[in-house]
Amino acid sequence: MTLTEQLDKLLMKVEKPARYIGGELHSVNKDLGGVKTRFGFAFPDTYEIGMSYLGLQIIYHILNHFDSVFCERIFAPGLDMEELMREENLPLFTLETKTPVKEMDILGFTLQYELSFTNIINMLDLAGIPFKSQERSESDPLIAAGGPCAFNPEPLAEIIDFFMLGDGEEILIDICKIHQQWKARNGSKREFLEEISQLKGVYVPAFYQPIYNENGTFQSMEKIFNKAPDKIEKNIVEDLDGVDFPNSKIVPLIEVVHDRAVVEIFRGCTRGCRFCQAGMIYRPVRERSRNRITEIAKNQITSTGYEEMSILSLSTSDYSEIEPLVTDLMGMCRENNVSLSLPSLRLDSFSFNVLEQIQGYKKTGLTFAPEAGTQRLRDVINKCITDKDIYSSMEQAISLGWTSVKLYFMVGLPTETYEDLDGIAEIAKNIMDIAYRVNGNKRGRFNVTVSVSNFVPKAHTPFQWCAQDTMESFEEKHRYLREKIKKIKGVSFNYHGTQTSHMEAVFARGDRRVCETLIRAWSLGCKFDGWREHFQYEKWIQAFQETGIDDNSYAFKAGNPEDNAPWGHIDCGVSKEFLLSEWKKANQCEQTQDCRHGCEGCGINQYVECRQEGTL
């Protein structure tokens, strides 16, 4: 019985069979006779999550542009399907051709979130591929990874053969070319890894050995292959117009998280929020031209039949031609009877005008992220908005008829006090007072949701040396806020789980030793850890105990800037000196200006031109 026939027998027994059948509009299939590199793009979560990820659509489109490369998709099966696959000995397969994953040449995982790491191990197990690089044979696929979590690759260093750092559009093409030459001469895996380790942005962890101090702390990273680079610089695509972008994205057969046409308008951010890893590792800002964006948008609307179009970036309002661009897109969408979605807008007069035109009388909720409750703490984290900004935006929103606002904050931020928590409740109360003043007796229709996440110190940020709050501290702060906020009529409160935040911190700053814990946790049943209903904290604690790893030392211990970090050999373009300077300024409540007002010396312009520098 073929794998397809085996699969057909199972599809009627699972909750969402369309997750596993492929064949969607604009998916690709190829004559394998001309294919020299079979690349499996693996997303370590379900189809609905993975198909919402724009990076998948970009890489899939770029690799399949080449006749010699066939990129197929692989997702983590749902628990119901996994159970049946194990019962029937059905291996993990690709969506396009139902080929066992083990037959791919390269299996590339995207690392978007630390709590997806056990799904990588689970997918390798379902594919029949040994977890660790040193246990795999020459016939097993090469295992690759990229994405934001690759900027601290060490927790997965014993599993992944090579990491790709930074933008993937150009480096993946180079790697596939080298792979085809290497495959033609029947080389060894070692030879392939040695060759690609000379490419910018490629990290082969087997060529490096971590050294630890007698007290167990990380000392340094030692090269064990002389030609391996001392520092691994990330790849940067300097001209977004110069790289391909999908005009015809794959249209899923079932509803996914973000089910719409989407165009990335720029990468990077100039604002420098000190907690934000994305704001550091995606520098500098590179914009796609307005003409190119509208061309892609038009093509996607025409080719997909989507009823919604969205634009994507870290801070949409910062696009240098945002007003004419949005005007163009609104006109195009109106002509095609397509709705336009504009996430991450700054709440200024232009944005409200645009939102008013888009949403009309059907106003959905507004979201706003002050991040901290007081000006002092917003200065610490370099979130350059004032109380006046918050209240004037909210007054304008309420005046225009919005009846629901969601406010995002973090707790556990460095230097936080209970006065800062009081500030969160005060902001919510003041917004309700504005609603009363503007709406009078109609205030009852208006509501505010305060949503709180827990601060997680991330590598390559000015706060990478900060200790995370203990779980007891987080829980006390949640209780304190809940009691404060429940007294404010019209305001609701929700918060992120403390146990998952703790695990996120461990792996965000973990070293190579935590890999054993990952594998042990998986063997105890941990997977889909980012899903609240599947997270099993007690099994994680058991895994730490059985592998002798002190999880608290990774999360709760402040780092010493004079010490080497496990990710210190990874160069995101922002210098350690800049991060340290920002950390010192944070402790002095001193802001750093948006680098569109002038260069602040983060170091990225040593590698590439910062075209947005000094443009304001």
Side-chain angles (χ1 to χ4, degrees):
M1 187 182 296
T2 66
L3 193 148
T4 303
E5 290 169 339
Q6 276 186 284
L7 177 63
D8 286 345
K9 284 177 56 184
L10 305 184
L11 289 178
M12 296 305 291
K13 301 178 182 178
V14 297
E15 181 189 5
K16 295 183 178 179
R19 285 172 169 171
Y20 313 104
I21 58 179
E24 309 98 317
L25 181 65
H26 302 312
S27 61
V28 175
N29 224 318
K30 290 189 175 183
D31 177 359
L32 296 178
V35 172
K36 296 176 181 175
T37 300
R38 295 191 70 176
F39 189 98
F41 187 106
F43 193 92
D45 212 308
T46 62
Y47 177 89
E48 296 94 311
I49 310 289
M51 285 300 293
S52 302
Y53 171 53
L54 180 60
L56 181 153
Q57 301 272 359
I58 293 174
I59 298 303
Y60 185 85
H61 172 77
I62 285 178
L63 289 182
N64 281 322
H65 178 74
F66 295 89
D67 292 338
S68 62
V69 181
F70 187 13
C71 177
E72 302 184 56
R73 293 164 294 154
I74 301 144
F75 300 97
L79 295 182
D80 56 346
M81 175 56 105
E82 180 187 335
E83 184 179 353
L84 291 171
M85 288 170 68
R86 291 189 184 280
E87 283 177 9
E88 301 292 329
N89 292 318
L90 185 73
L92 189 64
F93 53 86
T94 65
L95 218 55
E96 276 69 13
T97 59
K98 313 299 180 292
T99 300
V101 167
K102 195 178 172 64
E103 295 179 18
M104 295 292 105
D105 291 306
I106 302 173
L107 179 60
F109 286 94
T110 182
L111 309 178
Q112 298 295 311
Y113 184 37
E114 290 86 357
L115 297 189
S116 69
F117 288 176
T118 50
N119 278 9
I120 294 172
I121 298 169
N122 197 45
M123 291 170 76
L124 291 174
D125 184 65
L126 281 166
I129 299 171
F131 304 145
K132 292 191 174 182
S133 304
Q134 63 183 14
E135 295 169 357
R136 292 194 286 267
S137 69
E138 292 290 321
S139 63
D140 286 314
L142 290 149
I143 308 299
C149 293
F151 280 87
N152 177 20
E154 292 308 299
L156 294 172
E158 294 185 359
I159 293 172
I160 305 297
D161 291 319
F162 66 95
F163 291 89
M164 293 165 285
L165 302 168
D167 300 321
E169 289 98 331
E170 295 170 339
I171 186 66
L172 270 166
I173 296 169
D174 292 340
I175 284 175
C176 287
K177 287 177 181 173
I178 291 174
H179 173 263
Q180 289 165 22
Q181 295 163 0
W182 165 81
K183 194 174 177 181
R185 66 174 184 266
N186 198 25
S188 68
K189 274 187 176 177
R190 170 82 188 193
E191 290 169 351
F192 175 76
L193 294 172
E194 286 184 358
E195 187 169 353
I196 64 168
S197 72
Q198 305 305 299
L199 297 174
K200 183 180 174 185
V202 173
Y203 171 50
V204 179
F207 295 161
Y208 301 80
Q209 176 67 48
I211 307 296
Y212 300 98
N213 295 307
E214 287 185 4
N215 64 3
T217 56
F218 178 82
Q219 182 185 98
S220 61
M221 190 64 77
E222 218 173 61
K223 283 197 306 185
I224 52 178
F225 171 53
N226 285 338
K227 292 183 179 177
D230 295 330
K231 285 251 181 185
I232 299 93
E233 293 177 21
K234 72 172 181 180
N235 276 292
I236 303 172
V237 171
E238 295 188 39
D239 177 13
L240 290 190
D241 280 349
V243 293
D244 210 355
F245 191 90
N247 285 317
S248 306
K249 66 185 292 244
I250 307 167
V251 181
L253 296 173
I254 55 174
E255 186 177 354
V256 298
V257 176
H258 298 299
D259 204 7
R260 59 197 181 195
V262 61
V263 187
E264 178 194 39
I265 61 172
F266 69 91
R267 287 181 195 169
C269 181
T270 57
R271 293 184 172 269
C273 296
R274 292 174 178 134
F275 58 85
C276 180
Q277 187 189 48
M280 299 293 161
I281 64 174
Y282 291 129
R283 292 185 179 205
V285 166
R286 292 144 292 155
E287 293 188 346
R288 190 165 267 120
S289 70
R290 186 176 140 205
N291 286 341
R292 181 70 181 125
I293 293 167
T294 51
E295 178 190 349
I296 294 169
K298 184 177 182 181
N299 289 336
Q300 285 203 6
I301 289 172
T302 305
S303 66
T304 62
Y306 272 121
E307 296 177 343
E308 183 181 355
M309 158 65 65
S310 181
I311 55 178
L312 184 70
S313 66
L314 287 175
S315 178
T316 303
S317 295
D318 291 342
Y319 184 73
S320 60
E321 295 185 88
I322 187 64
E323 295 194 20
L325 173 66
V326 169
T327 302
D328 291 347
L329 292 177
M330 282 198 300
M332 181 191 302
C333 288
R334 197 176 294 119
E335 287 174 9
N336 291 277
N337 199 26
V338 170
S339 63
L340 180 62
S341 171
L342 301 172
S344 306
L345 276 182
R346 190 170 55 250
L347 296 182
D348 55 16
S349 297
F350 168 72
S351 300
F352 280 117
N353 182 37
V354 168
L355 292 171
E356 182 76 2
Q357 291 187 55
I358 292 174
Q359 298 186 357
Y361 67 92
K362 292 182 178 178
K363 290 184 171 61
T364 56
L366 275 182
T367 59
F368 194 47
E371 307 290 3
T374 62
Q375 189 63 53
R376 185 202 69 81
L377 193 52
R378 288 196 292 275
D379 290 344
V380 168
I381 64 175
N382 208 41
K383 184 79 178 184
C384 300
I385 59 171
T386 64
D387 286 347
K388 183 181 177 185
D389 294 330
I390 297 170
Y391 297 132
S392 62
S393 298
M394 291 300 106
E395 180 159 355
Q396 194 168 2
I398 295 163
S399 300
L400 289 170
W402 267 273
T403 58
S404 176
V405 173
K406 191 167 189 178
L407 302 172
Y408 287 101
F409 296 93
M410 278 189 284
V411 296
L413 286 162
T415 79
E416 181 183 71
T417 68
Y418 275 77
E419 287 182 1
D420 299 308
L421 301 184
D422 291 340
I424 293 175
E426 187 177 341
I427 287 173
K429 179 180 180 302
N430 288 342
I431 291 173
M432 290 305 297
D433 287 346
I434 292 171
Y436 181 78
R437 175 163 51 81
V438 173
N439 293 335
N441 292 335
K442 297 178 182 176
R443 191 194 72 161
R445 296 174 52 198
F446 185 80
N447 67 84
V448 172
T449 300
V450 172
S451 182
V452 167
S453 62
N454 304 317
F455 167 69
V456 176
K458 297 273 188 173
H460 303 286
T461 69
F463 291 162
Q464 67 178 5
W465 297 286
C466 298
Q468 189 184 42
D469 267 14
T470 63
M471 286 184 285
E472 292 77 14
S473 174
F474 276 135
E475 288 164 3
E476 174 56 34
K477 289 176 179 179
H478 295 159
R479 277 195 294 272
Y480 183 83
L481 275 173
R482 188 170 57 234
E483 291 302 311
K484 280 261 176 185
I485 288 174
K486 77 178 185 183
K487 299 172 184 171
I488 309 171
K489 189 176 179 182
V491 180
S492 58
F493 175 64
N494 59 57
Y495 57 91
H496 194 69
T498 56
Q499 295 172 341
T500 51
S501 298
H502 173 62
M503 299 306 305
E504 199 178 333
V506 171
F507 291 103
R509 298 195 300 179
D511 56 35
R512 205 169 283 198
R513 293 171 294 191
V514 299
C515 183
E516 288 297 335
T517 309
L518 274 174
I519 295 172
R520 181 61 187 143
W522 168 81
S523 72
L524 291 170
C526 294
K527 52 193 154 189
F528 289 107
D529 298 295
W531 295 48
R532 183 178 299 178
E533 62 270 38
H534 300 312
F535 182 69
Q536 303 179 79
Y537 185 63
E538 69 287 351
K539 290 189 176 175
W540 274 104
I541 294 304
Q542 181 182 344
F544 281 118
Q545 290 170 346
E546 291 180 0
T547 54
I549 294 294
D550 178 10
D551 52 311
N552 293 343
S553 69
Y554 292 96
F556 304 147
K557 187 177 176 183
N560 183 345
E562 293 182 1
D563 293 341
N564 292 319
W567 55 87
H569 54 304
I570 303 299
D571 185 357
C572 76
V574 175
S575 69
K576 180 179 176 181
E577 290 73 23
F578 176 75
L579 297 180
L580 189 54
S581 164
E582 286 294 287
W583 170 229
K584 290 176 179 174
K585 287 169 80 172
N587 280 295
Q588 295 163 357
C589 301
E590 186 180 337
Q591 289 191 358
T592 295
Q593 66 179 358
D594 184 322
C595 45
R596 287 175 298 172
H597 291 290
C599 180
E600 288 291 335
C602 75
I604 193 66
N605 59 5
Q606 296 178 48
Y607 304 99
V608 61
E609 180 187 0
C610 293
R611 294 178 184 167
Q612 300 302 310
E613 177 188 327
T615 55
L616 288 181

